[in-house]
Amino acid sequence: MSVDLKSGVTTATLTGSMRNAFGRAEQVSVSTANGSNGDRSFSLRLLKPRIGGSRNKASLSAFRFRQDALFSSYVLTSRGASLDVSDDANVHTFGYSAAWRDVAPKLNAADGVADDGSVVVVDKDNKASKIVATSSEVLDMCVPSTKTAVHYTYVRDRLDSTYLPRQGTFAKVRAELASGMLGGDVDFIKLEGAVKLYWPLTNTSSFGLSFMSGVMRPLHLTAAPAAATANSATTTHVQDRFFLGGPLNIRGFSASTVSTHDERGAALGGDVMAAAAACYSFLLPGKFADLGVYGQLFANVGNATQLQTDVPLADQARAFLADARVSAGVGIVVPTSFGRLEFNICQPLKHLPNDTLSRFQLGLGVDFL
């Protein structure tokens, strides 16, 4: 069992597995998670460590989840399956996935709409709180869609530690092609990459640089269903876009809030994103050293925005750099068997009016910048 903490949302995950399930070293695993914000997920995975006597392995997964995208004011429900084939060292992975998705406005029966168009949510104690309004762009996408995609991932991991590296390098590239020709009604291509570099300074300190970037573009490969303008391949879907922010990402900003916003403050995600981080880590003295607790000084910069076809690319690049968010701070890092645990005190140095700031952050996770 593990607990994931991100920007005030606590997620408890329970996992179980059975080895040698069918007598040929297969492994069956089940995972279920529940979040304090209503997020829920369930997955069932079958891993076959050898395919036809080769050193390649395959995994077949079935999943369903519900995601409450609070700062985008929508709820995503999805269910589907995926098949992945990788080499023995997990350097190269090829896969296919198919999923049915449904986006709905975050509005319950007891909720209402304020005069300014914001959604007013009534909690279980009958207290009303106002959140961002559901964007008209998101409302246009509030129809079911089917995503079928093929993907490829390359990973080169030379770090000395997964959650608290002191030296080494890490590189990851992922490419995804979603197309109606594969059976769905969503068409896009998506490329992502990440690089980490760490150098030891002393026996108890190190310095690290991390970079990540991504871009996605809609494709015109299939005809759009008449029922949904969101599926017309003229724009990307909000649930497929890039979002930044959170205690293990662009620190000092709430999770998934660094992106393009509409006029009411709803986060719409981005078609392109880039982020970087610099971190100085040092072993804390005394009893903290016995527990393996480290301190860190960090600086983050990043942005995610939508691409526009009617604006010159050079102008968009200048605007992307001008709107980049910047933060710095200090924190405590504890490597655990569940992931990297951080408690940070953050100071956003540059932000936009609709950004949601979070100066004190507690986070536990596997991926970090």
Side-chain angles (χ1 to χ4, degrees), residues 153-326:
T153 304
Y154 168 81
V155 177
R156 183 182 182 275
D157 190 350
R158 298 292 186 271
L159 298 176
D160 61 342
S161 172
T162 302
Y163 303 135
L164 190 59
R166 295 188 59 251
Q167 64 178 357
T169 61
F170 174 88
K172 180 178 180 179
V173 178
R174 188 177 191 274
E176 181 182 18
L177 172 65
S179 171
M181 292 188 296
L182 299 173
D185 52 30
V186 178
D187 297 288
F188 69 81
I189 185 170
K190 189 174 187 179
L191 303 174
E192 302 174 68
V195 174
K196 298 180 182 181
L197 308 168
Y198 285 87
W199 300 272
L201 301 179
T202 67
N203 291 334
T204 58
S205 65
S206 65
F207 177 75
L209 294 174
S210 301
F211 308 90
M212 60 186 296
S213 62
V215 62
M216 67 178 300
R217 296 302 296 153
L219 301 175
H220 301 266
L221 300 180
T222 56
T229 59
N231 291 344
S232 64
T234 60
T235 183
T236 53
H237 286 233
V238 63
Q239 63 265 40
D240 297 316
R241 294 174 184 161
F242 298 105
F243 290 85
L244 296 174
L248 303 177
N249 194 270
I250 305 298
R251 298 166 180 85
F253 297 83
S254 294
S256 301
T257 60
V258 175
S259 76
T260 299
H261 294 81
D262 70 358
E263 67 279 1
R264 293 173 176 170
L268 302 178
D271 301 323
V272 59
M273 70 87 178
C279 179
Y280 169 66
S281 301
F282 52 93
L283 186 65
L284 294 177
K287 294 184 178 180
F288 291 107
D290 298 333
L291 298 174
V293 179
Y294 277 70
Q296 68 171 351
L297 305 175
F298 61 84
N300 298 145
V301 59
N303 192 12
T305 189
Q306 294 183 39
L307 295 175
Q308 304 176 52
T309 58
D310 57 345
V311 179
L313 190 59
D315 293 342
Q316 294 188 67
R318 284 190 288 269
F320 182 86
L321 295 175
D323 291 342
R325 282 66 155 187
V326 182

Side-chain angles (χ1 to χ4, degrees), residues 341-359:
L341 176 65
E342 290 190 16
F343 173 72
N344 298 316
I345 301 175
C346 314
Q347 179 57 51
L349 302 176
K350 183 181 177 183
H351 60 89
L352 299 184
N354 288 323
D355 290 339
T356 304
L357 308 182
S358 180
R359 290 183 168 82

